[in-house]
């Protein structure tokens, strides 16, 4: 069988002797065979990236900006094809897949306009000191399966703009859209500037320990992030780790239930809950709990779950079997503990990794469904009567990725928001991320920053040049 999805190494298609089947999570049928990169092929990718680095670094900034704009154009021009591939491997709806491709195009277009600053430290007579930001070299980028294209673009854009070259690895669960994008970009970028590799469990560690890679930009789980950090220590690789979260949403007593029910529902369940900054625990004031829980249950009952390629589907399956089993395990744990369900709770035994929207009715704070990141369509709704208690429970968590506060009083909400120990807090919304704003995980949710100027700077290292003029 000829391979239809190939890696990109040194600007060329790179077939592999081994392949990995990629399944459609809605049907569990094989969509395509993905490449399984050998160690020699990773060597070739790193060598190509190293070889391409000096010229790419020396490429005028304006030309690198133009390259990013060209990538945006390729995404837009091929959005329909990429959308279909993305739905078939990831499970999200066609609408959400198209939204992801379009968001990626917009994102990299915005990044293209960013400027690396230069700071004049002092300019006394006879001397001048300037700090600028120079590229690191070869970046190893590792991305997960929930937003394969968008999260890859978060790394490709700033890494290339800053003058680095890249070896990028998608998740073996969702490699196809990125492999196809790599193929589409071959005529756009010089050979070796963007290498796309794909493989099984061995490939990530080969990258993180590789002495020819200067930085790892990783998005994935906290458990894997710890392994990445340990492995990267050997040659002091720079690291950006965007990791897991267990975001709390706090609904204050003055919130307008009718206005917030719908956005709160999608804050929790968009992409079937497989969003790092999904609302994963919702704390609701006693006075609103019954009305809000009824409203959320009603929305859940009306949302169509199904194959993302079918018209009318609003939510797709969980992306892979391991995650499906994990989410089912959380539901079973709640069932065994006698928790009540406001929605869902029974997972049908049929083809596809479908988990009905499940809302658990005020389980104890110590329940697994509260304490663990579900990363699936399972949500605990929790009562509180004292807002200080809600803030304390929200903060009593190893994660610190995001959080949200829902209220009609913006000043009060802002006060509560400032007390959350997370890198991002939303008021009356959640999940909204932009290329303009720094996105950083506190506590065990990560290290470093993506997006915004801070995110761009993470792909550089400062260099200060001191000049003493002999002639003055
Ligand atoms: P994961 O950690 O299992 O895998 C992420 C990537 O790392 C994949 O490409 C995988 O192949 C690779 N990998 C696995 N083991 C590795 C190792 N030892 N060394 C190097 N690479 C390795 O995560 P996942 O299941 O794909 O994604 C879900 C997790 O990602 C959730 O916890 C979610 O919250 C988190 N996430 C975080 C963000 C964020 O920006 N903070 C965004 C999306 C997802």
């Amino acid at each position: 069988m000829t391979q239809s999805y190939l890696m990109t190494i040194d600007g060329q298609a790179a077939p592999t002797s081994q392949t990995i089947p990629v399944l459609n999570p809605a049907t569990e049928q094989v969509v395509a065979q993905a490449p399984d990169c050998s160690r020699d092929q990773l060597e070739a990718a790193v060598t190509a990236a190293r070889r391409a680095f000096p010229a790419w670094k020396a490429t005028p900034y304006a030309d690198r900006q133009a390259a990013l704009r060209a990538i945006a154009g390729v995404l837009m021009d091929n959005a329909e094809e990429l959308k279909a591939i993305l739905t078939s491997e990831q499970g999200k709806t066609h609408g959400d897949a198209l939204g992801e491709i379009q968001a990626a195009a917009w994102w990299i277009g915005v990044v293209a306009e960013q400027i690396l600053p230069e700071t004049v430290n002092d300019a006394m007579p006879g001397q001048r000191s300037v700090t600028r930001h120079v590229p690191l070299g070869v970046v190893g980028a590792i991305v997960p399966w929930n937003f394969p294209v968008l999260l890859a673009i978060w790394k490709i854009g700033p890494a290339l703009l800053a003058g680095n070259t890249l070896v990028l690895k998608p998740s073996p669960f969702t490699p196809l859209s990125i492999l196809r994008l790599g193929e589409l970009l071959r005529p756009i970028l010089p050979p070796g500037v963007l290498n796309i590799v794909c493989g099984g469990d061995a490939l990530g560690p080969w990258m993180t320990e590789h002495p020819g890679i200067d930085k790892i930009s990783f998005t994935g789980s906290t458990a894997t992030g710890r392994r990445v950090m340990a492995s990267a220590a050997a040659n002091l690789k720079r690291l950006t780790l965007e990791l897991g979260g267990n975001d709390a949403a706090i609904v204050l007593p003055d919130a307008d239930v009718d206005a917030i029910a719908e956005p709160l529902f999608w804050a929790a369940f968009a992409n079937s809950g497989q969003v790092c900054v999904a609302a994963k625990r919702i704390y609701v004031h006693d006075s609103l709990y019954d009305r809000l829980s009824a409203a959320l249950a009603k929305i859940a009952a009306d949302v169509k779950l199904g194959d993302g390629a079918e018209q009318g589907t609003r939510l797709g399956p969980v992306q892979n079997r391991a995650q499906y089993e994990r989410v089912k395990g959380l539901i079973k744990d709640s069932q065994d503990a006698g928790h009540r369900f406001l929605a869902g709770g029974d997972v049908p035994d049929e083809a596809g990794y479908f988990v009905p929207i499940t809302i658990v009715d005020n389980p104890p704070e110590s329940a697994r469904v509260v304490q663990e990141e579900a990363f699936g369509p399972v949500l605990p709704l929790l009562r509180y009567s004292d807002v200080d208690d809600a803030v304390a429970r929200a903060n009593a968590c190893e994660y610190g990725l995001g959080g949200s506060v829902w209220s009609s009083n913006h000043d009060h909400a802002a006060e509560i928001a400032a007390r959350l120990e997370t890198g991002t807090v939303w008021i009356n919304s959640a999940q909204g991320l932009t290329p303009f704003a720094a996105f950083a995980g506190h506590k065990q949710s990560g290290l470093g920053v993506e997006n915004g100027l801070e995110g761009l700077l993470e792909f550089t290292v400062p260099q200060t040049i001191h000049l003493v003029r002999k002639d003055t």
Side-chain angles (χ1 to χ4, degrees):
M1 181 175 163
T2 52
Q3 280 179 256
S4 36
Y5 292 91
L6 299 176
M7 304 192 294
T8 298
I9 296 177
D10 207 10
Q12 304 288 323
T16 53
S17 54
Q18 305 292 317
T19 59
I20 302 171
V22 178
L23 303 189
N24 180 336
T27 61
E28 298 180 60
Q29 301 296 308
V30 175
V31 181
Q33 295 291 330
D36 188 0
C37 185
S38 70
R39 198 153 195 162
D40 285 348
Q41 287 177 307
L42 177 66
E43 285 305 322
V46 175
T47 302
R50 288 228 80 81
R51 196 166 45 234
F53 175 58
W56 185 246
K57 178 184 175 182
T59 298
Y61 198 81
D63 292 357
R64 298 204 301 261
Q65 290 180 298
L68 265 60
R69 289 185 204 110
I71 295 173
V74 166
L75 282 161
M76 287 308 287
D77 291 348
N78 297 279
E80 284 298 320
E81 181 197 350
L82 291 168
K83 163 197 94 175
I85 298 172
L86 183 54
T87 292
S88 71
E89 63 180 342
Q90 207 286 333
K92 64 183 63 184
T93 65
H94 272 165
D96 285 351
L98 186 61
E100 179 174 341
I101 308 296
Q102 290 168 338
W106 172 70
W107 212 283
I108 199 165
V110 171
V111 172
E113 305 311 316
Q114 288 183 317
I115 301 295
L116 281 169
E118 273 195 10
T119 310
V120 178
N121 305 306
D122 56 49
M124 286 183 285
Q127 62 183 17
R128 186 179 158 85
S129 156
V130 175
T131 300
R132 63 195 194 115
H133 299 274
V134 298
L136 285 153
V138 176
V139 172
I142 300 178
V143 287
W145 44 257
N146 58 340
F147 290 89
V149 177
L150 183 62
L151 296 180
I153 286 295
W154 283 20
K155 302 182 189 309
I156 293 171
L160 295 188
L161 183 65
N164 304 279
T165 55
L166 267 168
V167 177
L168 183 135
K169 186 191 93 59
S171 165
F173 293 117
T174 53
L176 305 179
S177 41
I178 287 297
L179 290 164
R180 176 68 180 130
L181 180 62
E183 183 182 355
L184 292 166
L185 295 179
R186 278 176 213 150
I188 303 280
L189 295 166
V193 166
L194 174 63
N195 304 277
I196 311 274
V197 295
C198 170
D201 291 347
L203 182 58
W206 290 344
M207 288 173 65
T208 58
E209 71 193 27
H210 200 295
I213 293 181
D214 302 287
K215 177 191 169 95
I216 294 287
S217 177
F218 171 84
T219 303
S221 64
T222 296
T224 309
R226 289 192 188 106
R227 286 194 279 276
V228 169
M229 192 168 181
S231 164
N235 70 330
L236 283 187
K237 282 188 184 65
R238 272 58 182 171
L239 281 179
T240 301
L241 302 175
E242 291 289 356
L243 307 178
N246 195 4
D247 292 13
I250 299 179
V251 181
L252 296 179
D254 60 8
D256 177 344
V257 169
D258 294 335
I260 70 167
E262 187 91 19
L264 195 53
F265 177 88
W266 291 108
F269 292 109
N271 208 36
S272 293
Q274 302 164 116
V275 181
C276 53
V277 286
K280 292 174 183 152
R281 308 172 275 157
I282 301 188
Y283 294 93
V284 186
H285 191 265
D286 246 341
S287 58
L288 306 181
Y289 188 93
D290 292 339
R291 274 176 61 213
L292 185 59
S293 58
L296 293 175
K298 178 165 185 330
I299 300 169
D302 291 345
V303 166
K304 184 173 180 284
L305 183 69
D307 186 329
E310 281 170 16
Q311 280 278 337
T313 298
R314 296 293 299 280
L315 288 177
V318 169
Q319 198 281 324
N320 59 72
R321 174 156 290 278
Q323 190 59 22
Y324 174 67
E325 295 297 343
R326 219 192 98 63
V327 171
K328 281 203 305 182
L330 284 179
I331 294 175
K332 171 139 188 346
D333 187 74
S334 276
Q335 282 168 336
D336 292 348
H339 302 158
R340 289 191 308 140
F341 291 82
L342 294 161
D346 288 318
V347 182
D349 190 13
E350 57 189 30
Y353 306 137
F354 290 103
V355 175
I357 295 159
T358 297
I359 305 177
V360 188
D361 185 8
N362 197 31
E365 193 68 17
S366 59
R368 278 186 59 201
V369 73
V370 182
Q371 293 300 320
E372 295 182 22
E373 178 188 31
F375 216 64
V378 181
L379 172 77
L381 207 63
L382 300 141
R383 277 181 194 271
Y384 76 89
S385 51
D386 170 18
V387 71
D388 289 339
D389 172 55
V391 171
R393 288 156 73 185
N395 285 337
C397 177
E398 65 165 349
Y399 296 113
L401 194 58
S404 56
V405 180
W406 302 72
S407 166
S408 301
N409 179 337
H410 297 170
D411 291 339
H412 184 43
E415 277 171 38
I416 303 298
R419 291 170 60 191
L420 294 183
E421 297 166 356
T422 61
T424 305
V425 189
W426 292 270
I427 295 172
N428 292 330
S429 72
Q431 296 201 11
L433 296 171
T434 86
F436 303 105
F439 176 52
H442 292 190
K443 303 198 254 186
Q444 301 294 300
S445 286
L447 196 75
V449 186
E450 285 199 298
N451 303 324
L453 180 60
E454 290 95 332
L456 176 61
L457 292 178
E458 293 241 337
F459 289 99
T460 66
V461 69
Q463 181 184 53
T464 298
I465 298 181
H466 297 287
L467 170 72
V468 177
R469 295 196 203 107
K470 294 275 188 219
D471 53 328
T472 53

